[in-house]
Every structure is written in structure tokens, then in C-alpha cells.
């Protein structure tokens, strides 16, 4: 069994209650009274850093878990350092404090980028045609002005300048020669530094802009300065609010949180890894900082799947720091949000005889929506019955126009509907027969956990932690990523086998209930928070884990 192998490898897993090696792991599995640690005079204050609370897998998982943490033992604050997001109101409605973004760190460039994206989302073709005609007219007028007005005037000015120079040259040449020699040397130095030649004529603001542009600061330096700028007000909050544990979620939060904890004088640092480390190949600086610096100083690391733990071990994270905490779901609460099959189809306007596929994933390129449309096109040629595929998710990278174009090209416009971001996912899954995940990379996707909780068979690509969710041939089918032919065959096979669909759905529901319950998830976080909170001495303002690392050095 997979969990037995985890125990043999020494990875802590909350499913079996096995503690990680090392003093911190042992402390994380004990209550404060059992460990002999002092009883705190107030709840342990945990600061969770996340970029936004927009709808997404990590954000929804946080929304499920944090409100269930024991308020008598822990005070949890969520800090969004880019923007609040639509889930912040739900989090606050459940009594969780949400702070940020701080006004000093909200980048003006992000606002401009969002405004530009909103403008570009509008159809500008008629206006662009008018602007092109206006641009051509302005160009013709400027050419006429340059030819008939500016060119003769420039010739007269140049002639006058030459006459003045001939008159003044005999007078000022003896005085100007030493100064000219020094200016020539200075000009060569400036040219080597790549500064603008017009530097002496600029004002202060223009001078600063010219120096920044002329020096051509590397993007890595600018990025690191931005991280420090974001971390400074968070560090002030950590000090003023007596934060005991800093918990970072997603890679950029890891950088910001580590910097803020250091600026605040040192706090226990916890990092959650929710995706594979493929982002380090694209952002090499982030990967270098994580491997060479942050992984050596972080106090504990949570991976939400065995695949995450393998990545972290390959990056050099000490085995004693690793904790396996699967994503959890409130099975009873999710069931209460579902409706019966016939009612769900009536609400969505779907006939009872149609086979319905569902996909719940934001429209990122790596989510494999294009591959799935290719597979659905092949399915439409072999499957004669009525069918419909519902795509639920936010268009993050402007993929929707391309996907709609493919639907038109393949003749799928009547069979495919893009519903956008929805808050009624349980009701949509209630109308479904088969759930699909065609991603090229994943962590431990919540949409598959929700589909299994809805008693649906799952057809998914075997990437990341998906094989730890879906058991091939028992709860669904696992396929290689980007294999359109096998995806089509699996969908057709399940569409033709209602008895097998029901058996897969029931087996998936039993697996979610036993392995991915939200209560186990909450207990895991409370244990880790208690262990890390016990390593920070509030009186001295020092982390005992930091002292241990210094002693080893």
C-alpha cells in the first residue's frame, strides 16, 4: 500500500498518525500538556500569507480549513499582499481576520495591468479602424509640415549657428580648450556607463529615471527589491501583533514570508507546497533562492501529496521537516449543498437522457482544455447519443476565445458550455455523469476530491498527486497527459457503462470519506501550529529552532 511505503520512508502522515523524525516533528504530534511545554498566556497567533483570496484551489482549501481551527488555542490571521479577492468576505464572515493588501505595497503597475486587460477585453475593431485612418492622416500632415516649414527653418538656424561659432571661436578657444578636454574624458566615462548624454539637462525626477534606465538594473535585482518592499509592512505587523508562526502558501508567499519573518527578528516559518516544482524551471531565480537559502532556514514544510514530498526531498529539504497533509473536504457539508440529479438538470436546462461531462478548472493553458476538446471532437464522431460538457472556471489567461474557436471548428458549439466561475459547483456536479481532469501538471486537485464526494467516476491524467486520489479501475481511469486517443476511449467506455459508472462513483465516495476528510486536515494543521508555536520564546523574541540551526553551524 502507498501509505505503508510512506511510513517506511519516514514521511510523517496524518492518516496513520506517524510523527516525523526530529524533535519538532515529535512535538507537532503531541498536545501542549503532553509535551511539557509551557501553557501560553494567549492563543498562538498564526499569520497565513497568500497573494489573493480569489477563487482557486489553494484559496478554497484555505476557506474550508481555517474557520475550523480551534479559536481557543489559535488566533489565525490571513494576509493577502496583492489583493483581497472575492473569498475574503466569506472568510471574514466566518470570523477570520483578513488584512492587506497594505497600501504601500500594492503595486501601481498591477492596477494599470488590470485596467489595460479590461480595456482590451472590449471589442475595439471599429475604433481601431478609425484610429488607423486618423494615424495615417496625422502622418501625412506631419510630413508636409516637416518638408515645407521645419526643414527651411532648420537650415536657417544651422547657418546662423555656424556664423556665431566663427565669430566667437577666436575669443573663447584658448579658455575653452582645458575644459573641453575634461568634458571629453567625462563624456567617455558616461558613455561607458551607458547613461544618457542629456543627463546634465534633466531635472531630479528625470535624472532618477534616466539613471535607472541607463544602468539597466537586472530584472533579478528589481524582483528582489520588490519582495523586500512588500515584506517590510508585513514585518511591522508581525512585530506589533506578536505573531508566533508565519505560514506561507504558494511560491511568491514563501519568498515574502521568509523575508518578513527575518525582518521581524525571526519567527518560526511554515511553508505549504501545493504544486509540483515545475515553476522553478521557468523562474530560475525563485528556484535558486528556495533551494540554496529558504529550504535550509524554514522550520517545517507541508506537502499535500507524496509527489510534493518527493519534489521537496530532491530540492534538499531535510526529511525531519516534512509533513504530509492531504487536502480535506467536509463530506456532510458538501452533500448538503448538492441537489438530486433530476432537479439539477432542470435548473441547468439539460435533458435527462443526455450524458453530461464536467470539468472544474480555471482556464490555464496547462489545465489541458485544448486536449479535452480534441478528445470530445473524436467522441462526437463515435458517440451517437446526446451529450454535453460543462466547463466551470475563470478565464485567467484569455484562453476562452481560442477554446470557443476550437468548438466552432470541431462543431461542438451545441455540446460544450463555458459557465465561467461558479459558486454552485455541488449543484453542477449533481447533474453530471462523468468528471474529467486533463491537466498537464497538478498538485492534489480539489475538483477531483469534490467529484468523488459527489459519487462521480473520474477520468484524469496521472500527474502530480492525482494517482493518490484516483485508483485506476476502481474509482475511475488514469491516463497519460496529452493522450487524446486514450482520453476518448475512456470517455466512450464509461458513457456506455452506467453500472460501472455507479460502481466507480461509490468507491470514490468511500475513499474520500476515509482518506480526505476535513477533520483530519484540521487536526494536522493544529498539531503543526502547536509544535512551531512552542519553539518561539515570546519574552526573548527568539526562535529556539533558529538557535538550534545556529548551534549546528
Amino acid at each position: 500500500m502507498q501509505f505503508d511505503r510512506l511510513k517506511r520512508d519516514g514521511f510523517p502522515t496524518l492518516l496513520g498518525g506517524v510523527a516525523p523524525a526530529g524533535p519538532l516533528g515529535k512535538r507537532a504530534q503531541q498536545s501542549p500538556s503532553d509535551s511539557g511545554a509551557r501553557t501560553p498566556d494567549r492563543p498562538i497567533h498564526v499569520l497565513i500569507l497568500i497573494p489573493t483570496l480569489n477563487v482557486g484551489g489553494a484559496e478554497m482549501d484555505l476557506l474550508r480549513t481555517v474557520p475550523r481551527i480551534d479559536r481557543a488555542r489559535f488566533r489565525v490571521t490571513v494576509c493577502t499582499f496583492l489583493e483581497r479577492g472575492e473569498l475574503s468576505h466569506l472568510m471574514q464572515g466566518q470570523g477570520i481576520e483578513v488584512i492587506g493588501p497594505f497600501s504601500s505595497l500594492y503595486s501601481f503597475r498591477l492596477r494599470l495591468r488590470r485596467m489595460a486587460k479590461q480595456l482590451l477585453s472590449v471589442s475595439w475593431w471599429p475604433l481601431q479602424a478609425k484610429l488607423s485612418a486618423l494615424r495615417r492622416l496625422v502622418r501625412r500632415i506631419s510630413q508636409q509640415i516637416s518638408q515645407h516649414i521645419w526643414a527651411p527653418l532648420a537650415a536657417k538656424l544651422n547657418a546662423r549657428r555656424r556664423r556665431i561659432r566663427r565669430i566667437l571661436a577666436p575669443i573663447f578657444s584658448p579658455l575653452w580648450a582645458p575644459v573641453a578636454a575634461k568634458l571629453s574624458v567625462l563624456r567617455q566615462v558616461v558613455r561607458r556607463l551607458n547613461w544618457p548624454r542629456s543627463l546634465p539637462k534633466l531635472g531630479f525626477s528625470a535624472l532618477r529615471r534616466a539613471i535607472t534606465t541607463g544602468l539597466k538594473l537586472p530584472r533579478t535585482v528589481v524582483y528582489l527589491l520588490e519582495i523586500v518592499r512588500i515584506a517590510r509592512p508585513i514585518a511591522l505587523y508581525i512585530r506589533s501583533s506578536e505573531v508566533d508562526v508565519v505560514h506561507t502558501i504558494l511560491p511568491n508567499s514563501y519568498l515574502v514570508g521568509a523575508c518578513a519573518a527575518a525582518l521581524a527578528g525571526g519567527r518560526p516559518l511554515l511553508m505549504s507546497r501545493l504544486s509540483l516544482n515545475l515553476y522553478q524551471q521557468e523562474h530560475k531565480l525563485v528556484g535558486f533562492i528556495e533551494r540554496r537559502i529558504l529550504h535550509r532556514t524554514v522550520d517545517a514544510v507541508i506537502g499535500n501529496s507524496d509527489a510534493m514530498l518527493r519534489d521537496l526531498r530532491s530540492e534538499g529539504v531535510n526529511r525531519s521537516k516534512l509533513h504530509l497533509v492531504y487536502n480535506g473536504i467536509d463530506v456532510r457539508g458538501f452533500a448538503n449543498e448538492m441537489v438530486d440529479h433530476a432537479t439539477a438538470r432542470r435548473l441547468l436546462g439539460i435533458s435527462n437522457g443526455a450524458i453530461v461531462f464536467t470539468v472544474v478548472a480555471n482556464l490555464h493553458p496547462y489545465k489541458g482544455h485544448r486536449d479535452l476538446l480534441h478528445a470530445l471532437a473524436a467522441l462526437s464522431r463515435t458517440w451517437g447519443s446526446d451529450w454535453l460538457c460543462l466547463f466551470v472556471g475563470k478565464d485567467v489567461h484569455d484562453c476562452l476565445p481560442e477554446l470557443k474557436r476550437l468548438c466552432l471548428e470541431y462543431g461542438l458549439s451545441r455540446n460544450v458550455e463555458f459557465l465561467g466561475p461558479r459558486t454552485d459547483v455541488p449543484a453542477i456536479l449533481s447533474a453530471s455523469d462523468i468528471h474529467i481532469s486533463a491537466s498537464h501538471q497538478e498538485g492534489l486537485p480539489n475538483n477531483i476530491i469534490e467529484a468523488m464526494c459527489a459519487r462521480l467516476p473520474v477520468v484524469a491524467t496521472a500527474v502530480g498527486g492525482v494517482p493518490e486520489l484516483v485508483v485506476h479501475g476502481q474509482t475511475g481511469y488514469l491516463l497519460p497527459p496529452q493522450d487524446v486517443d486514450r482520453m476518448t476511449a475512456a470517455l466512450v467506455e464509461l458513457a456506455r457503462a452506467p453500472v460501472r459508472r455507479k460502481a466507480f462513483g461509490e468507491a470514490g465516495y468511500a475513499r474520500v470519506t476515509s482518506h480526505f476528510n476535513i477533520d483530519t486536515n484540521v487536526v494536522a494543521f493544529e498539531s503543526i501550529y502547536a509544535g512551531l508555536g512552542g519553539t518561539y520564546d515570546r519574552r526573548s523574541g527568539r526562535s529556539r529552532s533558529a538557535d538550534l540551526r545556529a548551534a549546528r553551524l
Side-chain angles (χ1 to χ4, degrees):
M1 291 294 290
Q2 182 171 342
F3 303 118
D4 295 333
R5 178 168 55 81
L6 289 175
K7 295 175 185 178
R8 290 198 305 271
D9 291 344
F11 284 124
T13 167
L14 272 301
L15 297 176
V18 179
L24 176 60
K26 294 179 181 177
R27 189 185 301 112
Q29 298 297 327
Q30 299 173 347
S31 64
S33 59
D34 296 336
S35 63
R38 62 178 177 81
T39 303
D41 54 351
R42 59 175 174 79
I44 295 175
H45 191 182
V46 180
L47 178 67
I48 299 178
L49 290 179
I50 192 167
T52 73
L53 281 176
N54 289 321
V55 177
E59 294 80 4
M60 291 299 298
D61 193 54
L62 196 67
L63 182 62
R64 293 191 188 103
T65 305
V66 170
R68 290 179 167 83
I69 292 177
D70 187 0
R71 309 288 176 87
R73 298 173 56 200
F74 305 97
R75 172 192 169 192
V76 180
T77 302
V78 177
C79 175
T80 58
F81 55 85
L82 290 184
E83 63 175 320
R84 280 292 180 94
E86 53 265 32
L87 297 180
S88 62
H89 301 294
L90 299 178
M91 188 76 77
Q92 290 174 318
Q94 299 190 57
I96 301 300
E97 181 185 11
V98 180
I99 64 172
F102 298 99
S103 58
S104 61
L105 59 87
Y106 191 72
S107 177
F108 180 65
R109 289 174 295 177
L110 292 177
R111 292 198 294 268
L112 289 180
R113 197 174 302 160
R114 184 180 297 108
M115 292 171 58
K117 186 175 180 179
Q118 292 175 353
L119 291 174
L120 292 175
S121 64
V122 184
S123 179
W124 289 92
W125 296 111
L127 181 58
Q128 285 181 351
K130 295 180 181 179
L131 289 176
S132 298
L134 180 61
R135 193 181 299 113
R136 288 193 296 270
L137 177 61
V138 170
R139 189 181 296 116
R140 286 197 298 268
I141 294 174
S142 62
Q143 289 174 353
Q144 295 294 324
I145 292 175
S146 177
Q147 181 178 357
H148 295 92
I149 299 176
W150 176 247
L153 181 60
K156 293 180 181 179
L157 290 175
N158 288 332
R160 183 174 299 176
R161 190 181 298 113
R162 286 193 295 271
R163 288 197 300 270
I164 294 174
R165 190 177 298 165
R166 283 197 300 269
I167 295 171
L168 297 179
I171 302 173
F172 290 99
S173 290
L175 301 175
W176 180 251
V179 179
K182 295 180 181 180
L183 287 177
S184 177
V185 174
L186 181 60
R187 192 179 297 112
Q188 292 177 6
V189 173
V190 170
R191 190 180 295 115
R192 289 180 181 179
L193 289 175
N194 200 20
W195 288 5
R197 296 183 181 181
S198 58
L199 193 61
K201 301 179 182 179
L202 301 175
F204 178 75
S205 60
L207 175 63
R208 182 177 56 188
R209 187 168 56 251
I211 291 175
T212 305
T213 306
L215 287 176
K216 295 183 178 178
L217 291 176
R219 292 180 62 185
T220 55
V221 177
V222 176
Y223 179 74
L224 294 177
L225 291 176
E226 187 77 4
I227 293 296
V228 174
R229 185 176 69 87
I230 293 174
R232 286 180 62 189
I234 298 176
L236 293 176
Y237 176 83
I238 292 174
R239 280 183 172 276
S240 62
S241 300
E242 297 183 329
V243 172
D244 301 303
V245 178
V246 178
H247 182 188
T248 65
I249 300 174
L250 301 177
N252 48 0
S253 302
Y254 191 21
L255 298 175
V256 172
C259 183
L263 292 174
R267 294 294 191 280
L269 181 64
L270 170 65
M271 183 266 283
S272 286
R273 173 68 66 82
L274 306 179
S275 63
L276 297 176
N277 60 7
L278 298 177
Y279 66 89
Q280 295 181 358
Q281 300 175 7
E282 182 179 358
H283 305 284
K284 296 186 182 300
L285 174 65
V286 175
F288 177 82
I289 295 175
E290 287 186 354
R291 293 169 184 262
R292 299 290 185 177
I293 303 174
L294 300 186
H295 289 347
R296 298 179 181 180
T297 59
V298 69
D299 295 282
V301 179
I302 294 175
N304 66 350
S305 67
D306 186 23
M308 301 302 107
L309 296 184
R310 288 196 299 269
D311 273 0
L312 291 165
R313 284 294 300 139
S314 67
E315 295 170 25
V317 180
N318 193 300
R319 190 182 297 269
S320 64
K321 297 180 180 180
L322 295 176
H323 299 260
L324 175 62
V325 182
Y326 284 122
N327 297 350
I329 188 170
D330 183 2
V331 177
R332 183 177 301 176
F334 192 86
N336 292 336
E337 296 181 39
M338 296 184 66
V339 296
D340 64 274
H341 192 70
T343 303
R345 294 206 168 195
R346 185 175 68 252
L347 293 174
L348 295 171
I350 303 172
S351 63
N352 289 326
I355 293 292
V356 177
F357 307 101
T358 48
V359 182
V360 181
N362 288 333
L363 303 186
H364 292 280
Y366 68 85
K367 290 295 185 180
H369 294 93
R370 288 174 59 93
D371 303 333
L372 181 55
L373 289 179
H374 292 313
L376 292 176
L379 178 141
S380 65
R381 293 191 292 267
T382 59
W383 179 255
S385 301
D386 189 18
W387 64 273
L388 180 67
C389 186
L390 304 177
F391 287 83
V392 179
K394 184 179 180 180
D395 185 14
V396 180
H397 293 287
D398 298 326
C399 299
L400 186 58
E402 174 65 15
L403 297 177
K404 287 186 175 181
R405 185 192 66 79
L406 287 176
C407 290
L408 288 173
E409 180 180 339
Y410 296 147
L412 301 177
S413 298
R414 294 184 177 180
N415 301 99
V416 173
E417 291 187 12
F418 294 95
L419 304 181
R422 299 288 290 258
T423 57
D424 57 344
V425 172
I428 295 174
L429 293 178
S430 300
S432 177
D433 297 296
I434 302 170
H435 187 74
I436 308 172
S437 175
S439 293
H440 304 160
Q441 53 175 293
E442 278 291 356
L444 195 78
N446 287 319
N447 72 88
I448 294 181
I449 297 177
E450 293 174 347
M452 295 168 69
C453 191
R455 292 183 167 86
L456 291 177
V458 178
V459 177
T461 51
V463 294
V466 175
E468 300 171 53
L469 290 172
V470 180
V471 180
H472 182 72
Q474 296 183 20
T475 65
Y477 292 128
L478 291 173
L479 312 169
Q482 305 183 50
D483 193 333
V484 175
D485 295 334
R486 292 186 63 176
M487 175 72 73
T488 304
L491 294 178
V492 172
E493 181 178 345
L494 277 180
R496 291 174 175 171
V499 177
R500 185 176 302 173
R501 292 201 303 266
K502 183 174 179 58
F504 283 0
E506 293 297 333
Y509 179 78
R511 181 169 175 76
V512 164
T513 304
S514 60
H515 292 85
F516 305 101
N517 195 290
I518 190 65
D519 295 332
T520 305
N521 184 279
V522 172
V523 169
F525 278 103
E526 290 180 348
S527 300
I528 297 171
Y529 288 159
L532 291 176
T535 65
Y536 179 66
D537 190 346
R538 291 171 183 149
R539 294 182 179 179
S540 65
R542 290 187 58 83
S543 173
R544 288 200 290 272
S545 58
D547 293 338
L548 289 174
R549 288 196 302 268
R552 294 191 192 102
L553 296 176

